Amino acid sequence: MTQLDRTVQKFVDAINAHDSDAFFETLSEDASMSDDGNERNLAQWTDSEIFATNARMSVESTTSPTEFVADYSNDRWGSMRTAWRFTVRDGLISRFETGQAGA
């Protein structure tokens, strides 16, 4: 399995630690994101889908240092297989895209 980019790994670790400060420290000021191809308000989405719902993720496989498939779970949706792709610029995540992963 390819090793994750250091900033992407910090993103994953912050989610699993339920540490919103550490999570937002991985993001650029102008960071954006999409979920299942739909642009989302990053602050609202992360509160609703990560921190208010006790999200956790376990990376299953990586296709590059900035792309992986994970078993993602939270109190709202339960467990699901998700794909994640990141754009890292100057050591910070400027964009991430997530959504249901194919079989």
Side-chain angles (χ1 to χ4, degrees), residues 11-12 17 24 52 66 73 75 91 98:
F11 176 99
V12 172
F24 285 105
T66 56
S73 63
D75 293 345
T98 187

Side-chain angles (χ1 to χ4, degrees), residues 8 11 66-68 84-88 93 95-97:
V8 173
F11 176 99
T66 56
E67 294 184 35
F68 62 83
W84 296 78
R85 183 171 54 223
F86 299 82
T87 302
V88 178
I93 295 165
R95 178 162 179 82
F96 68 92
E97 299 170 0

Side-chain angles (χ1 to χ4, degrees), residues 4 6-7 12 14 23 27 32 34 44 48 52 54-55 58 62 74 78 83 87-91 100 102-103:
L4 289 177
R6 187 173 66 203
T7 304
V12 172
F23 175 86
L27 304 176
S32 63
S34 69
Q44 290 175 350
S48 171
N54 301 307
S58 175
T62 56
N74 67 24
T87 302
V88 178
R89 183 181 69 228
D90 299 328
Q100 300 266 355

Side-chain angles (χ1 to χ4, degrees), residues 6-73:
R6 187 173 66 203
T7 304
V8 173
Q9 184 63 58
K10 287 179 181 178
F11 176 99
V12 172
D13 293 344
I15 289 173
N16 288 334
H18 308 287
D19 186 340
S20 61
D21 290 338
F23 175 86
F24 285 105
E25 286 173 5
T26 69
L27 304 176
S28 66
E29 276 188 35
D30 62 343
S32 63
M33 60 89 51
S34 69
D35 182 5
D36 282 331
N38 298 304
E39 291 298 312
R40 301 288 188 198
N41 175 292
L42 192 144
Q44 290 175 350
W45 187 90
T46 54
D47 181 55
S48 171
E49 300 298 328
I50 297 176
F51 297 109
T53 55
N54 301 307
R56 296 214 30 98
M57 68 167 57
S58 175
V59 176
E60 290 180 3
S61 62
T62 56
T63 52
S64 80
T66 56
E67 294 184 35
F68 62 83
V69 172
D71 176 33
Y72 183 83
S73 63

